[in-house]
Amino acid sequence: YKVLFVTPEYGDAFPGGVGHAVAGAVNAARELGIEAHAMMPYYKNMEKAPKTERAGKPFLVQLDWRNGIAHKESQLWVRKPTDSTLPLFFVQHDTLQTPHYFQNDKELGKYVPVAREGESWLALAKVAAEFSIRENYDIVIANDWMAGLVPLFL
């Protein structure tokens, strides 16, 4: 099987309780011979992020639908660590666009800007769902409420 864990945090890249639990689950699955990876946002202020490169074509995410028309489009990239042993993918909002969806504020304890919180997690969910289809994942596990909309888009 091929399994993707979608999470707001992972191991040492952006530590937290959920992040350590997901890292443990990914590692345990890999020890059993399962091709498991995690996917999380590439936060603008991450201190321990590994060096990464783009993994394929960008995703164009349309948001703010009213009367059948998308009023916002954003380009997001999936990035992978240059160290191929790390089972981790990042979703990065194109930094030329504003607002940056994953501009975290450590002082406030926030992952994303409060004014863009809904859009940020919707964008992550859409990219994770489309990526999991494109890369032929058999199972997608949404970890924490921030990833809760991924199954909706599958």
Side-chain angles (χ1 to χ4, degrees), residues 43-54:
Y43 297 109
K44 200 165 184 176
N45 298 324
M46 284 179 33
E47 294 172 359
K48 296 182 179 180
K51 191 172 185 177
T52 64
E53 60 190 12
R54 289 180 176 167

Side-chain angles (χ1 to χ4, degrees), residues 80-100:
K80 62 182 179 181
T82 53
D83 174 357
S84 62
T85 64
L86 289 172
L88 181 60
F89 291 103
F90 293 97
V91 175
Q92 182 184 37
H93 189 208
D94 192 328
T95 55
L96 298 177
Q97 297 171 315
T98 55
H100 190 284

Side-chain angles (χ1 to χ4, degrees), residues 40-82:
M40 66 172 284
Y42 192 87
Y43 297 109
K44 200 165 184 176
N45 298 324
M46 284 179 33
E47 294 172 359
K48 296 182 179 180
K51 191 172 185 177
T52 64
E53 60 190 12
R54 289 180 176 167
K57 297 178 183 179
F59 292 89
L60 184 63
V61 175
Q62 297 178 323
L63 296 168
D64 193 13
W65 287 82
R66 288 176 268 151
N67 300 322
I69 299 170
H71 291 271
K72 292 182 182 177
E73 285 187 341
S74 287
Q75 182 172 289
L76 291 101
W77 293 88
V78 172
R79 300 187 67 86
K80 62 182 179 181
T82 53

Side-chain angles (χ1 to χ4, degrees), residues 15-154:
V18 169
H20 291 298
V22 171
V26 168
N27 291 335
R30 291 173 75 85
E31 287 175 9
L32 294 171
I34 297 169
E35 187 178 343
H37 298 94
M39 175 177 273
M40 66 172 284
Y42 192 87
Y43 297 109
K44 200 165 184 176
N45 298 324
M46 284 179 33
E47 294 172 359
K48 296 182 179 180
K51 191 172 185 177
T52 64
E53 60 190 12
R54 289 180 176 167
K57 297 178 183 179
F59 292 89
L60 184 63
V61 175
Q62 297 178 323
L63 296 168
D64 193 13
W65 287 82
R66 288 176 268 151
N67 300 322
I69 299 170
H71 291 271
K72 292 182 182 177
E73 285 187 341
S74 287
Q75 182 172 289
L76 291 101
W77 293 88
V78 172
R79 300 187 67 86
K80 62 182 179 181
T82 53
D83 174 357
S84 62
T85 64
L86 289 172
L88 181 60
F89 291 103
F90 293 97
V91 175
Q92 182 184 37
H93 189 208
D94 192 328
T95 55
L96 298 177
Q97 297 171 315
T98 55
H100 190 284
Y101 285 149
F102 305 118
Q103 171 73 51
N104 58 324
D105 186 338
K106 287 193 251 179
E107 283 76 42
L108 294 176
K110 298 288 184 185
Y111 291 111
V112 298
V114 173
R116 298 286 177 244
E117 193 165 39
E119 285 180 28
S120 299
W121 301 123
L122 275 170
L124 173 69
K126 284 188 171 193
V127 171
E130 290 180 30
F131 179 80
S132 68
I133 292 167
R134 183 171 83 185
E135 298 297 321
N136 298 311
Y137 279 89
D138 300 301
I139 299 170
V140 179
I141 299 171
N143 295 278
D144 217 334
W145 69 266
M146 296 86 152
L149 291 174
V150 175
L152 175 70
F153 296 117
L154 286 173

